[in-house]
Amino acid sequence: MTSLRIWHPFTQAALDPSPLPVARGEGAYLILEDGRRIVDAVSSWWVNLHGHGHPRIAAAIAEQAKKLEHVILAGFTHDKAEELAQRLRKWVPGDLTHLFFSDDGSTAVEVALKLAVQYWSNLGRPEKREIAALEHGYHGDTAGAMSVSDDSPFTEPFGSMRFPVHRVHSAYCHRCPLGLERATCHIECTESLAKLLADRGEQIAAVIVEPLLQGAGGMIVHPIEFLQKVRALCTKHDVLLIADEVLTGFGRTGKMFACDQAGIAPDLMCLSKGLTGGFLPMGVTLCTARVEAAFRSHDPRNTFFHGHSYTGNPLACAAACASLQLFEDEPVFERIAAIAKIHAERLARLREAGAVGETRQIGTVAAIELGADDAGYLSGLRPRLYRYFLERSVLLRPLGNVVYVLPPYVIPPDELHRVYDVIGQAIETLL
Ligand code: PLP
């Protein structure tokens, strides 16, 4: 009998070496079966916050498993789901009063898009169903999330599965879509959204953004004013604003949520990744009372008919509650500030290297855009850099010619410095 083999995401079976077997995780480290310790400088696809194997989160999951592993959430509830809702309420912007569970970042986005479209339909305005999204955006791999994501190698084969979306400028200052300089511009890049909403606001249900930081599109950091202007435009034209905080949530940008940095509140917010501290998959979509009210109806057709089997899973809720408790019991924001300081110091030094086009930073996320003739996700630099880093026991996964560092908050400062030493050597050696 032939064996059943795992199909690993993002790997080219013809080219890539065999996957590395990980025996366990500890803090910022992955320990391989052969004993090698690899520093996880990407938080295992941006999910881990407080370190691998944090005993408090592990214990919370084990405790919960002994009580209730899962229950249908339609018509039932459980104490960990209720506790999580109350805990999140303390952190999220005040206008967000309702929470809908799903499974991951992509499904949290699907829920937000569907809620936005049905919201207007329930209000008797079914023509208001179009979506606007940003250039360079990435919102996940399911069909709706791919539709609102910008064109990329991730979406290219699936054109026929994507619904049409209005694409407007993002604030990619290093490659400004209008050829302006940040020092003297007035965030004119929002004018394409302003024009769209002025022309078609009556048909547009929602604008979706990754607030302040576009992740998979190249770790592009936006000026705060960009997000503030997008919020103001949505309000002016009565269009819902969806903030996809799947990556930016839970302290990554220096505050609990990126929206907090800009002092704005969205109408819908998507969370996942760090929600459970990186232990279990779970997504949530939060919305305002105004949005939820449109679904309170005696007409069954106004019901939101969406629900995944593992919606509100008690084990994931227990992990999320324990992770949020760690924000209160451990010096999480001090750790975040310490990482941000090291990023700033080391990026300033790296900027002097000739091959570095731009460095970007927001909170615990740092990016180094390298000059390359084949800039973009499929840049030939990517596999060479990846291998170079791994040979030195550093897990970094460049987005094409953009190297980024996004560590768990517990990374020891000297280890973070070593990550930068290795990046510096790679730039000297490979470019
Ligand atoms: N939204 C953003 C901003 C993301 O960065 C991602 C994943 O990287 C997603 C959505 C999709 O999340 P998931 O991979 O959990 O489906």
Side-chain angles (χ1 to χ4, degrees), residues 253-274:
T253 69
K255 293 212 170 171
M256 198 60 159
F257 299 107
C259 287
D260 301 337
Q261 306 264 14
I264 66 123
D267 302 288
L268 294 134
M269 184 191 260
C270 309
L271 301 175
S272 184
K273 291 202 186 274

Side-chain angles (χ1 to χ4, degrees), residues 97-98 119 122-123 287-297 302:
T97 52
H98 289 76
Y119 166 77
N122 283 3
L123 293 185
C287 71
T288 58
R290 171 193 167 198
V291 171
E292 194 269 346
F295 294 81
R296 281 182 187 246
S297 156
N302 287 348

Side-chain angles (χ1 to χ4, degrees), residues 46 104-107 109 138-140 210 244 246-247 272-273:
W46 319 346
D104 49 39
S106 302
T107 50
V109 168
Y138 174 80
H139 298 282
E210 290 162 90
D244 175 355
V246 166
L247 161 60
S272 184
K273 291 202 186 274

Side-chain angles (χ1 to χ4, degrees), residues 335-416:
R335 290 173 185 151
I336 287 171
I339 292 172
K341 189 158 171 279
I342 296 175
H343 279 336
E345 276 168 36
R346 298 301 302 247
L347 289 180
R349 278 198 249 165
L350 277 174
R351 269 198 291 279
E352 283 150 28
V356 174
E358 194 198 36
T359 63
R360 304 187 269 273
Q361 187 200 345
I362 182 162
T364 67
V365 183
I368 303 131
E369 180 163 338
L370 300 169
D373 298 335
D374 60 349
Y377 189 77
L378 296 181
S379 168
L381 273 175
R382 197 185 82 87
R384 291 166 60 217
L385 287 164
Y386 177 72
R387 270 197 301 276
Y388 186 96
F389 297 139
L390 256 194
E391 280 160 16
R392 283 147 191 88
S393 297
V394 175
L395 171 53
L396 285 170
R397 290 178 53 91
L399 294 158
N401 56 316
V402 177
V403 177
Y404 68 88
V405 188
L406 196 161
Y409 303 154
V410 293
I411 189 170
D414 55 343
E415 191 64 77
L416 185 53

Side-chain angles (χ1 to χ4, degrees), residues 100-115 139 142 242 244 246 269-272 282-286 306 308:
F100 195 95
F101 284 107
S102 57
D103 294 346
D104 49 39
S106 302
T107 50
V109 168
E110 299 287 342
V111 167
L113 296 170
K114 289 174 69 174
L115 280 177
H139 298 282
T142 52
I242 304 172
D244 175 355
V246 166
M269 184 191 260
C270 309
L271 301 175
S272 184
M282 182 159 76
V284 299
T285 306
L286 297 121
H306 183 115
H308 302 283

